[in-house]
Amino acid sequence: MRPGKQSGRLVLPVGLALCLLTACGGGGRLPVTAPTTERVPTAGGASAPVAARTYDPPLRFQDGEGHDVGQGQWSGLLEGTTAYAVSEGEARAVNALDGRQLWSVKPEGQPMDRVVFGIEDIAAPRLVEVGGKRALLAAFTITEPGSGTTPDRHLVELTAIAADSGERLWTTRIARPAGQEDGELYFAGADAGTAVLTFGSEIDPVTVGVSLSSRRTAWTEKGFQAVFVDGGVAVGRGGADPEGGGGTGTVEGRRAADGTKAWTYRSELDTAEVKQAGEGLFTAVVDVPSPTGGNTATLLSAATGKEPAGLDAAKALGAPSALTCWTGEGTAVVCDAETESTEQVVALDPANWTRLWAISEDDESRLMPSVSAVFHGAVYGETENGYAVLDARTGKDRGSGPGSPPFSVNEYAGLFRAALGTIEVHPAVG
């Protein structure tokens, strides 16, 4: 595995996951703009004018130590000049330009004690509209203390937090499904009306939809492990049978509103891995039982469970056995594709799915980057020389710098991973 390459392992956490659904910006690269003044929320919810220069896309970031967003097990996301972050016991917002903490929210109930897992425990932050306000949804596992002969009980505390001020808009407590009174919780995602939570492991998963209007459980699906929500569809692995030994049976999509099945991609699978690519697309890597064995991978639509119209993924990507892709607001779809013999970064034109460019690990003239993010026509990745920024349409170098690349980027800043899951934000400077 090359330096900086992210593992595709999905770990389902016991503690907190946070969900905000954001709408991506328009396609195409934009020119660097003149300095603009944006009103940045302060810790008390008021706003103060701060001169924020935009670089769209940014090619360089502030050197040295960045501003801490979260130390330890955190996940983060940028929106405007704000970095949102979540851990198992807290949600917070930090000014991406100067590192000021804007607000912090912790569960009202007693957080559940848990064993520390790896840095992939925490789901990425997302945003959703709640009562006409931009809100961050946070799901905490809490313990309701027992009394007398009544034992402690573990619940889910679901909270809607105003993204600008940190005000609690509402908080509700959700009972865990039968058979999942303890163990892992993962916040798969949300749409305008439903939050989707997954309990348990891939052997015995249960996925629950919670109505954001009634704030109660709307549906429950045993054997389904939702991984993400996109366009009103919860995408994940289905068909798990704990009594028969567990395991994955299908890759499927279920409607977030009511849990009914929208589509099935493959069935009778030994294993399956799905990853959200963005803009309604995702990758699926599956192991179909066969005499020869081995994985097959492709790029699919979250709406249909099929390859996008006009795409022959096996031809365009070289019949990969492992695949991760990033979308670029209409400029390109960039993929890291592995086969049994080689690995390459490939850019496809989403208009007709033709190949724009590729860099292979066998290329003696260029170092293949380990891609971490794509934003407004720029591809961010890591080589042995540090981070590199490539043009998404041509593959040519546009910028470089020391250290690791950002995993989340906008026109103001980048989020970077430090040791043991710590997240830092570095303002863009060029």
Side-chain angles (χ1 to χ4, degrees):
M1 183 177 293
R2 301 188 314 279
K5 185 168 183 181
Q6 300 290 322
S7 165
R9 179 174 57 94
L10 171 69
V11 181
L12 302 183
V14 175
L16 164 76
L18 166 145
C19 203
L20 4 177
L21 275 201
T22 61
C24 296
R29 295 187 301 277
L30 302 177
V32 174
T33 64
T36 60
T37 299
E38 175 165 317
R39 299 192 66 81
V40 180
T42 65
S47 296
V50 175
R53 182 184 289 272
T54 60
Y55 300 91
D56 201 350
L59 306 181
R60 293 187 299 112
F61 300 91
Q62 181 176 290
D63 292 334
E65 293 186 4
H67 307 303
D68 281 342
V69 176
Q71 294 186 350
Q73 292 177 288
W74 290 79
S75 182
L77 179 75
L78 282 169
E79 183 170 89
T81 57
T82 302
Y84 296 97
V86 59
S87 72
E88 64 173 354
E90 182 184 354
R92 65 172 60 156
V94 173
N95 185 302
L97 303 180
D98 58 24
R100 287 181 297 116
Q101 182 169 294
L102 305 176
W103 54 258
S104 170
V105 173
K106 296 182 180 180
E108 293 179 336
Q110 176 184 328
M112 174 181 169
D113 292 334
R114 66 178 289 251
V115 178
V116 176
F117 292 91
I119 64 171
E120 294 170 297
D121 286 358
I122 309 302
R126 303 212 162 110
L127 290 167
V128 67
E129 296 294 323
V130 173
K133 289 187 176 182
R134 192 76 160 158
L136 179 152
L137 293 179
F140 303 92
T141 292
I142 62 171
T143 299
E144 183 179 73
S147 175
T149 60
T150 302
D152 293 351
R153 186 166 68 131
H154 297 146
L155 302 172
V156 176
E157 182 179 299
L158 184 64
T159 301
I161 306 165
D164 56 355
S165 66
E167 174 192 1
R168 283 183 197 268
L169 302 178
W170 51 256
T171 296
T172 188
R173 292 187 175 184
I174 305 296
R176 296 172 66 99
Q180 296 290 343
E181 289 80 6
D182 299 299
E184 300 162 339
L185 162 67
Y186 180 79
F187 199 154
D191 64 8
T194 310
V196 179
L197 311 174
T198 292
F199 300 83
S201 68
E202 63 182 13
I203 296 176
D204 62 345
V206 179
T207 292
V208 170
V210 179
S211 168
L212 298 183
S213 57
S214 70
R215 304 167 200 170
R216 297 187 179 188
T217 298
W219 56 269
T220 301
E221 186 65 32
K222 294 183 178 180
F224 176 59
Q225 183 185 44
V227 177
F228 66 88
V229 177
D230 196 338
V233 177
V235 178
R237 298 176 283 248
D241 179 12
E243 296 181 359
T248 296
T250 66
V251 171
E252 61 187 53
R254 290 185 172 271
R255 296 174 183 89
D258 58 15
T260 57
K261 187 176 290 188
W263 50 259
T264 299
Y265 165 59
R266 298 290 289 268
S267 58
E268 299 182 0
L269 303 173
D270 283 340
T271 61
E273 179 183 274
V274 297
K275 296 179 185 177
Q276 189 172 15
E279 299 173 34
L281 300 176
F282 72 100
T283 57
V285 180
V286 301
D287 184 2
V288 180
S290 67
T292 58
N295 292 341
T296 60
T298 190
L299 182 66
L300 302 172
S301 164
T304 65
K306 300 178 180 179
E307 292 183 349
L311 173 64
D312 182 341
K315 180 179 179 181
L317 298 169
S321 57
L323 184 66
T324 303
C325 296
W326 299 260
T327 55
E329 300 87 16
T331 59
V333 175
V334 180
C335 298
D336 185 307
E338 295 184 48
T339 66
E340 293 184 0
S341 59
T342 189
E343 182 176 2
Q344 61 180 339
V345 173
V346 182
L348 304 178
D349 188 336
N352 52 25
W353 299 109
T354 57
R355 182 177 291 202
L356 296 171
W357 55 269
I359 304 175
S360 168
E361 65 178 356
D362 301 322
D363 193 331
E364 297 182 355
S365 63
R366 300 188 73 186
L367 296 174
M368 185 184 73
S370 177
V371 178
S372 61
V374 178
F375 175 73
H376 286 191
V379 180
Y380 301 83
E382 183 178 9
T383 72
E384 62 187 42
N385 296 325
Y387 74 80
V389 185
L390 283 63
D391 187 287
R393 294 289 298 182
T394 67
K396 295 181 179 180
D397 286 12
R398 296 187 62 186
S400 61
S404 299
F407 68 87
S408 181
V409 182
N410 68 10
E411 60 269 35
Y412 297 102
L415 292 182
F416 294 74
R417 295 195 187 279
L420 299 176
T422 297
I423 296 174
E424 295 181 346
V425 60
H426 290 249
V429 295

